[in-house]
Amino acid sequence: MLPQVFEDYLNNLCGQIRWKRARRPVRRELAHHLCDQREAFLAQGLPQQEAEERALSEMGPLSQIGPALDRAWRPRPAWGMLSATLGLLVAGFFLRLLVAWLWGGSLPVGRELLVLAGAAGALAAGYFTDFTLLARLGRVFYLGFFALTLIILLLGIVLAGKSYLQNQWLPYLYLLLPVLYAGFIWSMEGTGLPGLLACGGTFILTAALGVVQGGMFLRTVFSCVIPCLAVLLTAIAGGHFGRRKKLYAAACLLPTVLLFTHLFIGSRQRWAIVLNPWLEPHGRGYWGILVQTVLRNAAFVGRGTPPGSSQVPTDDSQLFSLTFLVEQTGWISCIVILLLLGLFFALALNCWVKQRGLLARMACAALLLPLAFQAVFGLAASLGFTFFTSYPIPFLMPGTKALLVDSFLAGLLLSVLRCGHLGTERWQGSAWQPRLLR
Amino acid sequence: MTIDKSLLAGSTSLLVLRLLEQEDMYGYQMIETLAHRSDQTFSLKAGTLYPLLKGLEEKGMVESYEKSADSARVRKYYAITPKGKKLLSGKKEEWAAFSAAVNRVLEGGYNCVATGF
């Protein structure tokens, strides 16, 4: 409990810091400083009141320290990443219009403007979300997500006789799982092997809910399991669970390696067909052959030969939009998309490696990897390597649900890059204990 | 003797990094240690130290972590990074050259001594 004079001083001081999110960590550190100084004066034999007054005078004048702290604590927007993300959204707007026009001869400008506005809203919502909420409410968010998944899976959400958030939303909601999982892991700080096992157990339960959805198995594995594993390994490497890093890493890598070995051995035939669809031309290789035939006849610029013989699969127009675009406009469109995505991911990777706070590094992994997997598998499907029913290429190709979720993820990523330096402290207590017990 | 504070300007980060090179410290501890080691010559104010530490942390010269001091208090400790050690080494050389030059001038100047001017 701080004396009132300290409270007043800190209120006046921190009130001068314009970035409100920074006030709490600054206030906490300076409060400890004032208490240390007061105790030193008390030890010298000064009375309580004088010790408090001397401690305040030792801090320096408010008129100097306030502006100095305000200058030091500023959000650091990642302007390059922000520009690249906005550029992707705008490019996606025009590309989707182009696809719609080439596909059906219409220009759904109004609809695409609405989609763009929704994506911009989701981006802004993520950007202005305080990512340190993950640290404070990690368990609540994660368990809430688990409960929501269960409800959607079993019932869907019915309001006024209309069903919302049905099962088709689940694959997109699962893209949020890694970042929520990062918050859950953060709440297990210093809990050692029991905490790690709790993280593993709850994750298996949540991932299993996604896996039981038809057709979501591989998609869940690649877009959720691998990013979540990366987040967990980042936490272990940062000493989050304790000092026995090798043991903890082995405890989570061993079951994962076994799972993936089983997965790849069990579906060898499937991978072989993905790489060479001619092995099963009338079965699982059918789509791959169609796509590869179209691409083989595509020009570098302009419509491919023979013209007018579109064979792009129409069963899943979102997944093969890029194939269709290449057929109609040439490989140049694919190159432009690759350059745009390459720039975005290069900038994001650069910002990620610069993060020094453990929570920020975990959050970056959790946000960036799902986007990266979507891009890789979306591009692979467009080029005729259909590993599984993937998500559309992020930001650029048709698919409103994916676009909204991806924009929110990108906004959160920008929020982490902007404010990541707030959460740089790591716990090194003499005895490892959960954050909630402190 | 009263020391002109402007003499300290620009060297504060050198002093702070040198302190952290020896051991991890929290803010108050740095101020106390600096005052003690300089025989109360350098009395750094919190208003100078904390913005400086934040700046060094932003540049990757130091990193911070929290450690329990007692049951009620969790202190924020600062530790020097390899990048900070490299900067410190450079600043030490810079300071040695600077102070040697100042001393030479105060003592009459190198050329004066060598050439008799």
Side-chain angles (χ1 to χ4, degrees), chain A residues 9 17 35-36 52 102 120 157 159 169 180 227 257 282 402:
Chain A
Y9 178 85
I17 302 173
C35 290
D36 283 333
E52 287 170 0
L102 290 170
I157 290 179
L159 288 175
W169 270 93
L180 299 177
V257 169
H282 301 294

Side-chain angles (χ1 to χ4, degrees), chain A residues 233-308:
Chain A
L233 289 173
T234 305
I236 291 169
H240 188 68
F241 289 98
R243 295 186 180 90
R244 299 160 76 187
K245 295 179 187 176
K246 285 181 184 168
L247 171 72
Y248 301 149
C252 66
L253 276 176
L254 194 64
T256 313
V257 169
L258 288 174
L259 169 74
F260 275 83
T261 308
H262 174 73
L263 193 68
F264 281 102
I265 291 175
S267 49
R268 265 176 305 178
Q269 181 69 9
R270 180 183 182 139
W271 303 115
I273 293 169
V274 166
L275 296 174
N276 182 10
W278 296 98
L279 290 174
E280 206 176 292
H282 301 294
R284 280 177 289 186
Y286 180 69
W287 280 12
I289 291 170
L290 282 186
V291 169
Q292 287 179 17
T293 307
V294 166
L295 294 177
R296 215 170 281 135
N297 291 320
F300 183 70
V301 178
R303 203 168 182 184
T305 53

Side-chain angles (χ1 to χ4, degrees), chain A residues 12-24:
Chain A
N12 287 334
L13 182 60
C14 294
Q16 294 181 57
I17 302 173
R18 280 172 288 176
W19 190 25
K20 288 182 182 172
R21 284 186 208 169
R23 289 177 187 171
R24 187 160 53 177

